[in-house]
Amino acid sequence: MARAIARDHGGNVVLVARRKERLEALCEELRTRHGVQAASIVADLSRPEDVERVFAEATRERVLHGAILNAGVTYWGEAMKLDWDAFQALLNTNVTSMVRLSSLLLPHLIEQAGGARGGAAGLMLISSVAAFIPVPYQAAYSGTKAFILSYGQALAQELRHTGVSVTVFAPGGITTELLENSGLSRRFKAGDLGMMTAAQCATHAVRAFVQRKELSVPGLLNQTLALASRLLPRGLLAQRTAAMYRPGH
Ligand SMILES: NC(=O)c1ccc[n+]([C@@H]2O[C@H](COP(=O)([O-])OP(=O)(O)OC[C@H]3O[C@@H](n4cnc5c(N)ncnc54)[C@H](OP(=O)(O)O)[C@@H]3O)[C@@H](O)[C@H]2O)c1
């Protein structure tokens, strides 16, 4: 998404993640290839103190016009076997940091959007198709993504007259490290029906953000799944999904 913002919109970016070398390499790439300003903040968003620091550093002597809260982790396996510390880290990363950062960022974004300048600002929260359907063997993850969907869509209404858009982006399978780290890459592979590359998905996401969409689901298969979740019983969908996600077969 940082690449798409710099390449397609000439946007300056502040990037946040845990791995310093990767952040710095990407910043350098964006500066040389696209001539934008790029800064990085190394932080672990599962740690509340890091979340506070990210906001302080990102807004120190700098004005933000948009924020994309994308960091997320998953666990694939039986919910009762999810280690408690790992669950806390998942919840902190996917939910708590997102709510805290949203609460800290929104007054800043409202200020940029409002007043005499009459500008606009935006917040985008990254959810998942797993928000629409209970996903057995990704129970905690799909729960966090359902939270984000509900929270983000509610927030969009609360902020309607502020000039700040809230976009919830809910992709399906993307071939990224998230699948590698969870083992899901053994089940879902590049080229499978509906799977996207990170670059494809990022293009959709940034377009939705710029167009200030309230909810965006990229790709026909994912849109069909989102629609099915409104038409079919959730229990039936969960049963079908269980067969796809059950580990060890
Ligand atoms: N891949 C999929 O199939 C899929 C489908 C639907 C939705 N999504 C959602 O898309 C978002 C991005 O996922 P992805 O697939 O691109 O995963 P990814 O390749 O693992 O990337 C996750 C990004 O978040 C950062 N991150 C993870 N934990 C962090 C932490 N505790 N503190 C700070 N940064 C952290 C990672 O950098 P560091 O590791 O360096 O910190 C990385 O930049 C997530 O919210 C995910 O739920 C993914």
Side-chain angles (χ1 to χ4, degrees):
M1 285 187 281
R3 285 190 178 108
I5 288 167
R7 182 192 62 223
D8 301 339
H9 303 283
N12 300 327
V13 292
V14 182
L15 307 177
V16 181
R18 291 166 298 186
R19 284 169 291 179
K20 188 168 184 245
E21 299 72 27
R22 288 187 147 213
L23 282 176
E24 287 178 352
L26 181 53
C27 284
E28 186 53 30
E29 177 194 317
L30 299 180
R31 283 186 212 112
T32 33
R33 250 192 224 168
H34 305 296
V36 300
Q37 292 174 32
S40 64
I41 301 173
V42 176
D44 180 347
L45 295 172
S46 71
R47 296 156 52 103
E49 61 276 24
D50 279 24
V51 176
E52 307 284 327
R53 180 171 57 77
V54 164
F55 172 71
E57 282 186 27
T59 53
R60 187 173 302 138
E61 294 174 12
R62 194 187 280 122
V63 166
L64 301 180
H65 296 279
I68 301 178
L69 305 184
N70 170 63
V73 288
T74 190
Y75 162 78
W76 180 40
E78 290 174 36
M80 64 182 176
K81 291 187 182 159
L82 172 56
D83 177 79
W84 186 245
D85 289 341
F87 171 69
Q88 292 291 342
L90 187 147
L91 193 64
N92 281 348
T93 309
N94 295 10
V95 173
T96 313
S97 78
M98 191 171 277
V99 173
R100 186 66 185 130
L101 276 173
S102 298
S103 302
L104 290 167
L105 284 160
L106 283 170
H108 178 91
L109 294 175
I110 289 169
E111 202 183 324
Q112 308 322 317
R117 290 185 302 277
L123 176 72
M124 182 157 73
L125 309 181
I126 307 301
S127 178
S128 165
V129 165
F132 298 106
I133 298 169
V135 183
Y137 309 105
Q138 275 203 296
Y141 175 76
S142 69
T144 64
K145 294 293 160 177
F147 175 94
I148 295 165
L149 175 66
S150 206
Y151 179 78
Q153 287 195 284
L155 210 51
Q157 291 306 313
E158 290 187 27
L159 295 171
R160 266 191 106 155
H161 304 294
T162 62
V164 178
S165 58
V166 179
T167 300
V168 176
F169 184 69
I174 321 161
T175 48
T176 66
E177 281 184 356
L178 180 132
L179 297 197
E180 300 290 335
N181 293 339
S182 62
L184 278 164
S185 55
R186 295 197 296 276
R187 187 65 52 88
F188 302 102
K189 297 192 168 22
D192 287 356
L193 187 66
M195 290 295 286
M196 288 188 181
T197 65
Q200 285 169 333
C201 197
T203 302
H204 283 285
V206 171
R207 194 181 303 136
F209 187 42
V210 170
Q211 291 177 351
R212 302 166 72 80
K213 295 239 166 91
E214 281 187 14
L215 175 65
S216 173
V217 180
L220 194 58
L221 179 70
N222 300 325
Q223 286 161 6
T224 308
L225 287 171
L227 181 65
S229 74
R230 298 218 296 269
L231 303 175
L232 299 173
R234 283 168 68 79
L236 177 68
L237 288 167
Q239 193 185 23
R240 293 284 163 188
T241 311
M244 286 169 64
Y245 280 83
R246 186 173 294 114
H249 72 87

